[in-house]
């Protein structure tokens, strides 16, 4: 083997990295177990105590120099379906942005066009709103110009009265895109402050949507308010230190006296200790300590007579200014909200946290700003007056700065505010967090200002984006939502674990029984591959989900397929009389080409699924993509290193067969090609029956993510009849809307899917549907305690996009495979036959769902189903590539033969590999079907069907189709007869 040293080095490095990151996961899990043990009282875990323990070790070293924070951020996380939590997709509404850019125009044509565009959007959810608005405006006023409405102070400098409609639309689209970016930044900041562990927020490419995942969330209503609340940008006056210091001194006396009174016995006995604590707990350089020393003489005298604990100094520990350690912010908030604090502080004084923590000596602190509130609690200036803001380098000083422009109304207010606060700070506040508090140098007229400071350019740009958040309103609406309860997550975790263990055990047993000691090497490589995949997932901080586990099982089966291909090749070479060393070299050499091609087709599918898929499908694609690389490394290189070492040490002891398998599939001589017309007829009949049944059943049984609507998982204390629940809810509570109810995992758990109010994506509609459902359930089943354990919502816009991208994914997959096969095999007939066979596989899988439905197996077609169809295509393509590769090999080594003369021998010679791969993957999918739970039932059923028909099409459709196109023409061109042709030579070549 060439480059053996490089391969060994690479394997060791990758293994070390995987071991390191998986070790971090184990350490993190250990800390969490310790926290649970610490917080367990009477068999119940006290969540506050558990969180307090985790906070206490957040910055403490737990793995060498690494703190728990470092370890937690690098662990292998669990997805929402395994851990419980909330998934949201929010869409930034362009309607309000367009209205704001028009200056809230009252023009009747504009408002009629807006209303018409909003109606059109209901039936054309994938068309951009601005396009629909422009079409409506043009229809209502063909000779009118948009600039008449949009050339205003809001768009000064960007749109003038002579601008064309195309330029106006371009500027509107630009502002909408910027608003989406600002909304993303604002939501990210909100989510970061929400307090959940390992949140995930990302933009969906090419859309105005933002996806949010929050593991472990137990207050969905709070999250909905958090993500749908509009950004509030304000400018406030700031108190000087000497102005608010007396109030903090007074507050400190009140709180200290109250604490001392609460523990009189301890305070009297430990006054000395308390005094010592004051100097060590507080920071001598912190503003709190400085303020404590600036009390009146009377206060100082009282303190000397009766030492008191300095409560504020123990909280405000930020060096140099008023602020607190991040871990103490909850205690500070509680103190500031207390009646004692409200009674001491004046009504126009409130404290707000800074938005960004400062790191001092390895500790993170947040600064507190003393904000001067007005009598009406309204800010002197709101963000709506901002016309533009940019973050860039100052040309003179070379330092990063922010320039800000205001409209005429804002300019007048800004002039008055700056004139009254020369030498003082003005706080820039977004969502009650202070992003900057610059000092006013002089009165600023004209509304143009420059904010300078110790900025990095990224910070300046972020502040500019924050300022523009008030320029245009960008409200968000939830278009997709899923909530998974913790109990359902634990159940899914167990199901996933059983699936992996069961699938792994079956494959390892099969390989050992079929290939003997070589099979045990394959088993060791299989475990190594699993280790690599988990390590890479942890390294790149990808969460493991239930579809990810399905992808993991599929990768395991594909890894075994590579070993099977190699071992079958080695057995062939041994049968041809080669020595073990030569047989191994030739076996690996000849198998690598087919394995490489198979992996490329799998990678194509993974990339397309990852790009177009969302949520569970994307995670499945990530796992599949990682597995392509790790499987190739482990099966082609690592297994070869082990086998070559074993042969070198004791070649006779290494076997590639057992008494059970030694003569299995020997001397196979099936006339597969001769039965192709029967196969064509059979496939056509099954497809026609399936689609006729689908039509009679009212169309395909689409999941909620394809048709839109809401879905709930509801537990009952005893089994209930699903059809009775469906009839009850559909007629009396869901207004006759399409509703489906079926058991989910057990007879006492139902999945209720309804299209009631599907077009209304508002929070009020969510509440209305859920209220109607429980009102109906409680009328008949209140004694069975119906409880929601999971819910999801998919809006019409999302459903339309998912359908479109699903069809696009299938089309792009087939196109990419056509191009790749054409590149590798250099004849369009190979590509055409492969794509037709793969499309045939997809049609058969789809057709089998209504057929199964006719027999009572009612599975939905959803995003995961699409992933199954594409994965079936990948599996079938693997088989087809191996057969094509053998045909190409026979044609190269027997140049005097035609395609027709080698196709049957090629199919027969690869038959053993085809059947072994089919058996292993089929058994794995059966295990997934049995143990994977209801969430993956549709996927595993589709995969089982796909594996059966994928194997069948590789044999009876793909290669025979080439014969019906290229093969016959070749025979006529060469004018040869099969009867008089030389015999095919399959012996090992020197």
């Amino acid at each position: 083997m060439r480059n053996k040293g490089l391969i060994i080095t690479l394997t060791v490095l990758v293994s070390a990295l995987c071991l390191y990151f998986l070790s971090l996961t184990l350490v993190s899990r250990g800390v969490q177990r310790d926290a649970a043990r610490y917080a367990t009282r009477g068999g119940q875990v006290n969540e506050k105590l558990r969180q307090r323990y985790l906070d206490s070790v957040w910055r403490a070293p737990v793995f060498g120099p690494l703190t728990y924070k470092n370890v937690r951020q690098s662990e292998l996380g669990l997805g929402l379906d395994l851990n419980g939590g909330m998934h949201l997709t929010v869409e930034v509404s362009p309607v309000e942005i367009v209205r704001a850019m028009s200056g809230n125009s009252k023009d009747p044509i504009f408002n009629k066009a807006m209303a018409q565009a909003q109606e059109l959007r209901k039936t054309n959810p994938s068309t951009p709103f601005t396009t629909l608005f422009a079409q409506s405006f043009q229809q209502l006023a063909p000779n009118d110009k948009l600039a008449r409405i949009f050339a205003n102070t809001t768009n000064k400098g960007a749109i003038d009265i002579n601008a064309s409609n195309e330029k106006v639309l371009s500027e509107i689209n630009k502002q909408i895109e910027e608003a989406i970016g600002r909304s993303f930044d604002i939501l990210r900041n909100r989510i970061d402050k929400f307090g959940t562990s390992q949140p995930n927020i990302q933009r969906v490419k090419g859309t105005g949507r933002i996806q949010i995942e929050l593991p472990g969330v137990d207050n969905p209503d709070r999250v909905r308010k958090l993500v749908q609340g509009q950004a509030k940008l304000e400018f406030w006056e700031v108190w000087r230190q000497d102005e608010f210091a007396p109030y903090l001194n007074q507050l400190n006396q009140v709180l200290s006296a109250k604490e001392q009174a609460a523990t009189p016995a301890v305070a009297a006995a430990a006054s000395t200790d308390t005094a010592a604590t004051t100097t060590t707990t507080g920071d001598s350089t912190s503003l709190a300590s400085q303020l404590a020393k600036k009390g009146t003489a009377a206060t100082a005298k009282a303190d000397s007579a009766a030492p008191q604990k300095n409560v504020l100094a123990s909280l405000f520990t930020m060096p140099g200014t008023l602020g607190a350690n991040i871990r103490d912010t909850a205690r500070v908030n509680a103190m500031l909200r207390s009646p004692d604090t409200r009674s001491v502080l004046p009504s126009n004084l409130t404290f707000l946290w800074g938005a960004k923590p400062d790191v001092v000596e390895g500790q993170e602190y947040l600064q507190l700003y003393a904000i001067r509130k007005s009598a009406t609690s309204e800010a002197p200036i709101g963000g709506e007056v901002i016309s533009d803001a940019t973050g860039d380098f100052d040309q003179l000083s070379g330092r990063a700065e922010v320039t800000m422009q205001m409209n005429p109304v804002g300019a007048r207010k800004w002039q008055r505010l700056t004139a009254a606060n020369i030498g003082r700070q003005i706080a820039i506040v977004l969502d009650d967090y202070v992003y900057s508090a610059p000092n006013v140098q002089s009165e600023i007229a004209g509304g143009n200002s420059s904010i300078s400071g110790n900025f990095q350019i990224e910070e300046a740009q972020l502040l500019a984006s924050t300022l523009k958040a008030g320029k245009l309103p960008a409200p968000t609406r939830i278009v997709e939502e899923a909530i998974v309860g913790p109990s359902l997550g634990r159940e899914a975790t167990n199901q996933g674990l059983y699936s992996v263990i069961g699938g792994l055990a079956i494959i390892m047993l099969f390989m050992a029984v079929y290939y003997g000691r070589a099979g045990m090497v394959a088993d060791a490589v299989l475990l190594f591959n699993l280790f690599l995949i988990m390590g890479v997932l942890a390294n790149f901080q990808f969460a493991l989900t239930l579809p990810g586990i399905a992808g993991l099982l599929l990768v395991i089966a594909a890894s075994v397929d590579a070993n099977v291909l190699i071992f079958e090749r080695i057995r062939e070479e041994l049968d041809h009389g080669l020595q073990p060393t030569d047989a191994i070299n030739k076996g690996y050499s000849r198998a690598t080409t087919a394995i490489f091609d198979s992996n490329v087709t799998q990678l194509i599918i993974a990339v397309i699924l990852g790009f177009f898929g969302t949520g569970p499908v994307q995670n499945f694609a990530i796992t599949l993509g990682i597995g392509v690389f790790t499987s190739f490394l482990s099966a082609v290189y690592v297994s070869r290193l082990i086998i070559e070492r074993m042969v070198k040490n004791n070649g006779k002891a290494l076997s590639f067969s057992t008494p059970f398998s030694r003569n299995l599939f020997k001397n196979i001589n099936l006339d597969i090609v001769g039965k192709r017309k029967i196969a064509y007829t059979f496939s056509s009949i099954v497809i026609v029956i399936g689609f006729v049944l689908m039509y009679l059943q009212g169309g395909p049984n689409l999941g909620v993510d394809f048709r839109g609507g809401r879905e709930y998982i509801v537990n009952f204390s005893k089994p209930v009849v699903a059809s009775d629940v469906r009839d009850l809810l559909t007629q009396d509570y869901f207004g006759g809307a399409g509703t489906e109810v079926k058991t989910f995992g057990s007879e006492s758990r139902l999945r209720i899917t309804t299209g009631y109010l599907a077009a209304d994506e508002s929070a009020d509609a969510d509440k209305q549907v859920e209220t109607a459902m429980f009102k109906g359930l409680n009328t008949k089943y209140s004694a069975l305690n119906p409880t929601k354990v999971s819910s999801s919502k998919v809006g019409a816009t999302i459903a339309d996009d998912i359908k479109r991208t699903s069809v696009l994914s299938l089309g792009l997959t087939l196109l990419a495979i056509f191009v790749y096969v054409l590149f590798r095999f250099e004849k369009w007939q190979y590509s055409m036959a492969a794509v037709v066979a793969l499309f045939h596989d997809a049609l058969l899988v789809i057709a089998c769902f209504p057929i199964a439905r006719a027999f009572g197996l009612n599975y939905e077609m959803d995003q995961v189903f699409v992933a199954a169809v594409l994965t079936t295509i990948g599996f079938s393509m693997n088989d087809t590539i191996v057969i094509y590769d053998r045909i190409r090999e026979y044609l190269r080594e027997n140049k005097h033969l035609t395609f027709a003369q080698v196709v049957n021998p090629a199919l027969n010679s690869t038959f053993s590999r085809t059947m072994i791969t089919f058996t292993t993957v089929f058994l794995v999918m059966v295990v997934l079907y049995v143990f994977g739970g209801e969430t993956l039932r549709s996927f595993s059923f589709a995969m089982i069907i796909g594996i059966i028909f994928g194997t069948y099409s590789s044999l009876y459709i793909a290669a025979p189709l080439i014969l019906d196109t290229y093969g016959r023409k070749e025979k006529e061109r060469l004018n040869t007869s099969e009867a008089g042709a030389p015999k095919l030579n399959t012996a090992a070549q020197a």
Side-chain angles (χ1 to χ4, degrees):
M1 182 170 60
R2 297 177 181 177
N3 303 316
K4 184 181 293 186
L6 177 63
I7 292 167
I8 293 174
T9 303
L10 177 64
T11 303
V12 170
L13 288 175
V14 172
S15 302
L17 281 173
C18 291
L19 182 62
Y20 171 73
F21 281 99
L22 290 177
S23 298
L24 296 183
T25 301
L26 293 175
V27 171
S28 178
R29 296 285 193 271
V31 173
Q32 292 167 38
R33 285 194 298 271
D34 292 342
R37 280 196 294 268
Y38 169 81
T40 301
R41 300 289 187 273
Q44 297 293 324
V45 176
N46 185 313
E47 191 58 34
K48 288 185 177 180
L49 288 177
R50 190 185 75 86
Q51 193 59 50
R52 185 184 301 172
Y53 180 94
L54 293 176
D55 289 342
S56 68
V57 299
W58 186 245
R59 297 191 178 282
V62 294
F63 188 66
L66 298 180
T67 64
Y68 176 59
K69 176 185 177 182
N70 303 135
V71 169
R72 184 65 189 271
Q73 290 173 343
S74 301
E75 72 172 337
L76 175 63
L78 297 179
L80 300 187
D81 50 2
L82 298 177
N83 199 32
M86 190 173 188
H87 165 89
L88 295 167
T89 300
V90 298
E91 187 173 64
V92 178
S93 174
V95 178
E96 286 76 7
I97 299 175
V98 175
R99 287 197 181 279
M101 289 187 69
S102 74
N104 291 314
S105 174
K106 305 298 182 185
D107 184 87
I109 295 178
F110 167 78
N111 283 289
K112 192 171 181 180
M114 288 289 288
Q116 188 171 309
Q118 286 174 269
E119 285 299 314
L120 287 172
R121 198 180 186 200
K122 294 178 181 178
T123 54
N124 301 275
S126 60
T127 305
F129 175 79
T130 50
T131 302
L132 298 174
F133 164 70
Q135 292 171 353
S136 299
F137 187 87
Q138 187 71 23
Q139 182 182 352
L140 293 169
N143 299 318
D144 204 352
K145 295 184 69 176
L146 288 170
R148 177 177 64 81
I149 295 167
F150 290 94
N152 52 39
T153 55
T154 302
N155 309 307
K156 187 177 179 180
I159 300 175
D160 58 48
I161 195 65
N162 297 315
S164 65
N165 285 356
E166 289 75 16
K167 184 175 180 182
V168 173
L169 286 174
S170 175
E171 182 62 25
I172 292 174
N173 287 325
K174 175 186 172 186
Q175 293 297 335
I176 290 174
E177 179 62 26
E178 289 184 1
I180 294 168
R182 290 194 297 273
S183 295
F184 175 76
D185 291 335
I186 291 165
L187 286 174
R188 182 172 56 189
N189 288 327
R190 288 179 180 176
I191 295 303
D192 286 343
K193 295 175 176 65
F194 183 70
T196 185
S197 62
Q198 293 182 312
N200 180 36
I201 176 169
Q202 59 184 340
R203 284 191 61 176
V204 181
K205 298 173 186 175
T207 70
R209 300 188 195 117
I210 300 167
Q211 284 186 345
I212 302 167
E213 287 190 351
L214 300 171
V217 165
D218 57 1
N219 191 342
D221 288 335
R222 183 185 167 199
V223 174
R224 294 187 189 104
K225 291 177 182 177
L226 185 79
V227 301
Q228 292 187 115
Q230 194 166 318
K232 183 177 64 173
L233 178 66
E234 300 168 317
F235 295 82
W236 289 99
E237 296 176 282
V238 180
W239 290 67
R240 288 199 307 263
Q241 179 179 312
D242 61 319
E243 293 173 335
F244 68 78
Y247 297 111
L248 284 188
N249 283 321
Q250 185 180 349
L251 176 61
N252 186 57
Q253 293 171 23
V254 171
L255 296 177
S256 298
K258 184 175 182 180
E259 183 170 315
Q260 191 170 16
T263 55
V266 176
S271 59
T272 305
D273 293 342
T274 306
T277 304
T278 303
T279 60
T280 57
T281 305
D283 190 321
S284 60
T285 64
S286 70
L287 182 58
S289 297
Q290 296 171 23
L291 293 174
K293 296 173 183 176
K294 293 182 179 179
T296 62
T299 303
K301 189 177 294 183
D303 287 346
S304 63
Q308 293 181 334
K309 181 177 181 180
N310 193 329
V311 174
L312 294 188
S314 67
L315 292 174
F316 298 140
T317 56
M318 184 173 182
T321 188
L322 184 68
N325 196 296
I326 281 184
R327 65 171 177 262
D328 295 327
T329 53
R331 293 168 58 203
V332 174
N333 288 336
M335 181 271 292
L336 293 175
R337 288 194 299 264
S338 69
D340 293 323
T341 301
R342 290 200 299 267
S343 67
V344 171
L345 299 183
S347 59
N348 64 339
L349 171 61
T350 189
F351 288 98
L352 296 180
W353 293 107
K356 178 186 173 185
D358 295 312
V359 180
V360 182
E361 296 180 356
Q363 295 289 311
E364 287 186 342
Y365 297 91
L366 279 178
Q367 186 174 348
L368 264 181
Y369 293 85
I371 303 300
R372 188 184 297 276
K373 286 282 188 179
S374 61
T376 60
S377 294
E378 291 185 4
I381 301 179
E384 71 279 356
V385 303
I386 302 293
S387 60
D388 200 9
T390 56
D392 209 340
F393 290 105
D394 179 33
Q395 293 182 351
L396 296 177
S397 66
R399 297 196 306 175
E401 67 170 9
V402 177
T403 56
M404 174 178 66
Q405 294 83 45
M406 295 183 175
N407 62 26
V409 174
R412 290 192 294 270
K413 291 183 178 181
W414 186 240
Q415 184 174 357
R416 289 195 298 270
L417 186 63
T418 53
N421 287 276
I422 295 174
R424 303 173 65 99
Q425 289 177 288
I426 293 179
I428 302 170
V429 180
L430 179 68
D431 288 342
D432 292 331
Y433 284 91
V434 179
Y435 279 75
S436 183
N439 280 293
V440 178
Q441 304 297 329
S442 61
E443 178 183 337
I444 302 173
N448 293 326
S449 309
S450 174
I451 304 171
S452 58
N454 189 23
F455 290 136
Q456 299 291 330
I457 184 60
E458 293 82 5
E459 295 172 326
Q461 290 170 346
L462 176 61
L463 179 56
S465 176
T466 300
L467 288 168
K468 288 196 288 187
K471 176 186 174 183
L472 293 174
T476 58
R477 61 193 179 105
I478 298 172
V479 294
E480 184 182 23
E481 175 185 298
I483 303 170
V484 180
S487 60
L488 205 60
R490 285 191 295 271
E491 185 177 312
T493 302
N494 292 333
Q495 290 168 343
L497 186 62
Y498 296 150
S499 299
V500 171
I501 293 174
L504 197 61
I506 286 176
I507 288 178
M508 292 179 70
L509 179 63
F510 179 87
M511 292 298 288
V513 169
Y514 198 91
Y515 289 109
R517 291 193 65 193
M520 294 179 186
V521 172
D523 291 343
V525 170
L526 187 63
L527 293 174
F528 178 70
N529 186 30
L530 185 62
F531 161 76
L532 289 181
I533 294 171
M534 302 298 283
V536 173
L537 286 171
N539 189 359
F540 290 99
Q541 298 178 27
F542 294 127
L544 186 63
T545 65
L546 209 52
I549 289 175
L552 194 64
L553 284 170
L554 202 62
V555 165
I556 290 171
S559 179
V560 169
D561 175 48
N563 283 120
V564 168
L565 189 57
I566 292 167
F567 292 169
E568 289 298 301
R569 274 291 195 172
I570 292 173
R571 287 174 61 170
E572 286 180 23
E573 305 304 333
L574 289 172
D575 289 343
H576 292 150
L578 267 65
Q579 293 298 313
T581 302
D582 296 331
I584 289 169
N585 288 335
K586 197 145 195 174
Y588 273 96
S589 176
R590 291 195 166 195
T592 299
T593 303
I595 294 171
F596 178 81
D597 288 334
S598 299
N599 277 275
V600 170
T601 56
Q602 288 279 17
L603 190 61
I604 288 171
I605 292 169
V607 169
I608 290 174
L609 279 174
F611 187 82
F612 290 106
T614 59
V617 173
Q618 205 167 49
N619 194 272
F620 170 82
I622 287 169
T623 308
L624 191 62
I626 292 171
V628 167
F629 292 101
T630 59
S631 296
F632 193 79
L633 173 66
S634 58
V636 174
Y637 295 110
V638 176
S639 70
R640 185 170 184 176
L641 289 171
I642 297 172
I643 285 177
E644 285 184 348
R645 173 62 63 180
M646 292 176 69
V647 170
K648 185 177 180 180
N649 291 340
N650 188 2
K652 294 182 179 180
L654 181 64
S655 62
F656 289 88
S657 62
T658 63
F660 162 73
S661 63
R662 188 163 294 123
N663 296 313
L664 203 60
F665 301 118
K666 287 282 187 182
N667 302 317
I668 295 291
N669 189 23
L670 301 173
D671 184 16
I672 296 173
V673 173
K675 305 295 189 297
R676 65 187 184 281
K677 293 182 179 179
I678 298 174
Y680 297 164
T681 305
F682 170 75
S683 296
S684 301
I685 291 171
V686 173
I687 291 170
V688 169
I689 290 174
F691 280 85
V692 168
L693 282 174
M694 186 186 296
Y695 174 77
L696 296 176
Q697 292 165 358
N701 185 22
L702 300 178
V704 69
D705 46 2
F706 277 160
R707 66 173 185 256
R710 294 169 178 84
E711 182 178 278
Y712 305 90
I713 308 297
V714 181
N715 272 348
F716 297 83
S717 57
K718 292 182 180 178
V720 292
V721 180
S723 57
D724 293 346
V725 174
R726 182 194 60 223
D727 295 341
L728 171 70
L729 294 177
T730 303
Q731 300 302 324
D732 300 333
Y733 297 94
F734 286 160
T739 301
E740 183 177 274
V741 180
K742 61 181 183 179
T743 56
F744 189 83
S746 72
E747 296 295 326
S748 59
R749 179 184 295 158
L750 297 181
R751 180 166 70 181
I752 301 171
T753 307
T754 179
Y756 179 51
L757 300 181
D760 190 343
E761 298 169 352
S762 67
D764 291 338
D766 296 341
K767 192 170 292 184
Q768 186 177 341
V769 175
E770 188 171 327
T771 301
M773 180 185 71
F774 277 106
K775 185 177 179 181
L777 293 177
N778 286 323
T779 57
K780 187 174 181 180
Y781 303 103
S782 59
L784 301 183
N785 189 29
T787 306
K788 182 184 74 174
V789 294
S790 173
S791 66
S792 64
K793 174 184 79 172
V794 177
T797 309
I798 288 282
D800 186 73
D801 280 358
I802 290 173
K803 283 186 284 189
R804 179 173 54 83
T805 55
S806 296
V807 174
L808 186 61
S809 298
L810 180 60
L812 285 176
T813 299
L814 295 176
L815 177 62
I817 288 175
F818 180 92
V819 172
Y820 183 75
V821 174
L822 180 62
F823 169 74
R824 290 293 291 163
F825 292 90
E826 301 175 352
K827 289 183 174 61
W828 68 266
Q829 290 91 345
Y830 283 76
S831 296
M832 178 277 300
V835 169
V836 169
L838 297 178
F839 188 62
H840 152 277
D841 297 341
L843 288 178
L844 278 172
V845 173
I846 294 170
C848 283
F849 268 62
I851 293 173
R853 192 177 180 184
F855 287 93
L857 296 175
N858 196 4
Y859 299 117
E860 293 180 344
M861 298 180 185
D862 52 15
Q863 278 194 92
V864 178
F865 167 80
V866 174
V869 171
L870 292 180
T871 307
T872 295
I873 287 174
F875 170 82
S876 179
M877 194 63 223
N878 283 0
D879 265 356
T880 303
I881 286 287
V882 171
I883 294 168
Y884 281 7
D885 187 71
R886 188 61 64 94
I887 291 172
R888 178 174 57 184
E889 178 187 324
Y890 282 178
L891 287 173
R892 283 176 178 173
E893 295 177 356
N894 300 270
K895 298 183 184 299
H896 49 276
L897 297 184
T898 66
F899 180 92
Q901 292 163 338
V902 303
V903 60
N904 250 333
L907 289 168
N908 281 288
S909 64
T910 57
F911 189 78
S912 59
R913 176 264 167 199
T914 299
M915 296 313 298
I916 294 168
T917 300
F918 163 78
T919 302
T920 53
V921 181
F922 178 80
L923 290 175
V924 168
M925 287 302 116
V926 168
V927 169
L928 187 64
Y929 182 83
V930 174
F931 295 107
E934 290 294 333
T935 304
L936 292 178
R937 197 79 76 200
S938 172
F939 173 87
S940 50
F941 177 76
M943 281 300 302
I944 289 172
I945 298 298
I947 289 162
I948 293 171
F949 284 113
T951 303
Y952 153 80
S953 73
S954 297
L955 294 170
Y956 289 96
I957 306 295
L961 275 176
I962 303 176
L963 178 63
D964 288 331
T965 54
Y966 169 74
R968 289 190 179 278
K969 292 181 180 179
E970 183 193 45
K971 180 181 175 183
E972 292 170 3
R973 180 176 61 83
L974 296 176
N975 193 24
T976 59
S977 66
E978 294 180 21
K983 187 178 179 182
L984 173 68
N985 179 18
T986 61
Q989 303 295 312

